Amino acid sequence: MRLRSLARPVTILALLLGLTQAGRAADPVFPPSSRFGFQPPPDMVSSKRFSGFERVEGGATVSVVELPPNAFAELEQSFTDANLKQQGFVVSNRQAIKVAGDVDAVLFTGEQPAADPSAGPSIKKWMLLVGDPTVTGIIIAQTTPDAETDESMVAMLTGVHIRPELTLEQQVAALPFRIGDPAGFRPVRVLAGNSVLMTQGPKDQMLGLEQPILVLAQAVQPPPQPEQREAFARTALASNQTMKDFIVERSQSYRQKGVDWHEIVARATDIASSTPVVISQTIRFAPDGYLRAVGVVRADHREGVLAHFREVVDSVQLK
């Protein structure tokens, strides 16, 4: 299926230049912690499931991925039509453009064919690769045929705004949860706008788990049913590819302050350093998602640290 923007007597360049004065005057909306902001159509809002935007009634999404600045040149070379087709994106047009003033970018236009043609039409798709000197952005927009117009989606992507890098404090403040009692831990890094890495100690870079670490991550997806939570928790623990030789010390579900929880404490070995460690995984379930906390400490330093992990997790408040 050819994109409507190619069937109409309207060129891609015209679409790029077709932003209205009202659109230019509007304040950009930035996904939490993201450096890339946009002026989305009225029926698209910031997503709680990923970094980006989605249409309230479904059928259209815009996702944002941020990478180091040196990634742009490599991606520009590797994003060939053949490579993208292998990933399900059939490119019909690509164009080198400037965005956010004088920032290099490449706009890809095409479609994602349905795996089963009888199941429905192809999905219209756009990708904007942005090469700011301080950050690389991959912005992917996709819609069902009638969810949004080609003009509105292209205008949204090419009207991207790039703000300065946020401070760690600003990134923590933008998380979908608030930590009431850090219990001696401090944030080191925020990941994907919904996760934070914390540590207890002076170092930000830790070799051989010199310091205990704690990761808190909020997932907005349907939680497992109560009878499935034990298996879900064990699978989540075993998915940690930096550890091996798991031995579960205890695994239990419990209810606290009207909320369902599950906690596992296990021994394991850190693969990189061969260091014996203790892992504490706590999952807090909610009707529309769950909060997962994973704390890791050297086995010979576990005394008192597991209690501190728990103090942090118990103090978390969802926004």
Side-chain angles (χ1 to χ4, degrees):
M1 184 182 84
R2 302 291 291 177
L3 292 178
R4 283 183 286 167
S5 59
L6 299 181
R8 297 172 181 172
V10 181
T11 66
I12 290 294
L13 180 59
L15 292 178
L16 304 184
L17 299 176
L19 300 177
T20 65
Q21 292 301 317
R24 291 181 184 275
D27 291 332
V29 180
F30 291 85
S33 297
S34 176
R35 294 187 57 191
F36 295 94
F38 304 86
Q39 297 161 353
D43 60 352
M44 294 190 74
V45 298
S46 293
S47 175
K48 294 182 178 181
R49 301 183 298 118
F50 54 86
S51 180
F53 302 84
E54 56 188 331
R55 189 169 180 259
V56 176
E57 297 179 356
T61 62
V62 175
S63 61
V64 183
V65 176
E66 297 181 22
L67 298 170
N70 58 2
F72 177 77
E74 180 180 349
L75 292 175
E76 187 179 20
Q77 294 296 318
S78 65
F79 280 171
T80 64
D81 290 358
N83 286 343
L84 291 173
K85 187 175 182 179
Q86 289 181 345
Q87 301 176 42
F89 183 17
V90 179
V91 176
S92 59
N93 186 77
R94 68 172 62 208
Q95 185 173 8
I97 61 174
K98 296 287 187 179
V99 298
D102 195 36
V103 175
D104 290 331
V106 183
L107 177 66
F108 301 81
T109 302
E111 63 181 19
Q112 179 177 315
D116 180 3
S118 64
S122 299
I123 294 174
K124 298 192 294 183
K125 198 164 187 175
W126 299 263
M127 179 171 67
L128 184 70
L129 178 63
V130 182
D132 184 81
T134 63
V135 64
T136 295
I138 303 177
I139 298 97
I140 299 175
Q142 54 187 28
T143 75
T144 53
D146 299 319
E148 294 288 344
T149 66
D150 300 340
E151 292 85 352
S152 66
M153 298 306 290
V154 172
M156 179 177 175
L157 266 62
T158 57
V160 61
H161 293 249
I162 305 172
R163 63 181 174 181
E165 184 175 5
L166 275 65
T167 65
L168 180 59
E169 290 74 16
Q170 290 172 321
Q171 295 179 57
V172 171
L175 287 168
F177 52 83
R178 182 180 298 104
I179 300 171
D181 181 4
F185 282 81
R186 61 184 178 83
V188 175
R189 187 178 304 117
V190 170
L191 309 169
N194 67 345
S195 309
V196 60
L197 168 65
M198 307 179 73
T199 189
Q200 192 178 64
K203 295 183 178 181
D204 289 346
Q205 300 292 333
M206 291 147 278
L207 300 175
L209 291 171
E210 300 167 287
Q211 301 171 179
I213 60 173
L214 176 62
V215 178
L216 302 172
Q218 174 69 16
V220 183
Q221 61 190 58
Q225 295 299 312
E227 65 274 11
Q228 300 172 326
R229 290 173 181 173
E230 175 74 23
F232 175 82
R234 287 178 178 263
T235 299
L237 180 69
S239 69
N240 189 328
Q241 298 181 359
T242 65
M243 306 288 172
K244 65 178 183 179
D245 303 332
F246 291 92
I247 300 175
V248 174
E249 292 185 354
R250 70 172 186 268
S251 178
Q252 61 182 6
S253 295
Y254 61 96
R255 191 167 179 82
Q256 177 175 284
K257 297 181 179 179
V259 177
D260 290 330
W261 301 70
H262 188 281
E263 183 178 67
I264 292 179
V265 174
R267 300 192 303 275
T269 300
D270 176 58
I271 295 175
S273 63
S274 299
T275 302
V277 299
V278 176
I279 304 174
S280 172
Q281 174 186 269
T282 306
I283 302 176
R284 173 179 175 173
F285 296 101
D288 57 351
Y290 57 88
L291 176 79
R292 181 172 176 239
V294 178
V296 183
V297 60
R298 291 169 58 113
D300 55 351
H301 293 169
R302 69 180 290 172
E303 188 67 30
V305 176
L306 297 185
H308 290 160
F309 287 158
R310 186 66 177 274
E311 289 176 33
V312 177
V313 175
D314 284 350
S315 75
V316 171
Q317 299 176 348
L318 302 182
K319 294 181 179 177

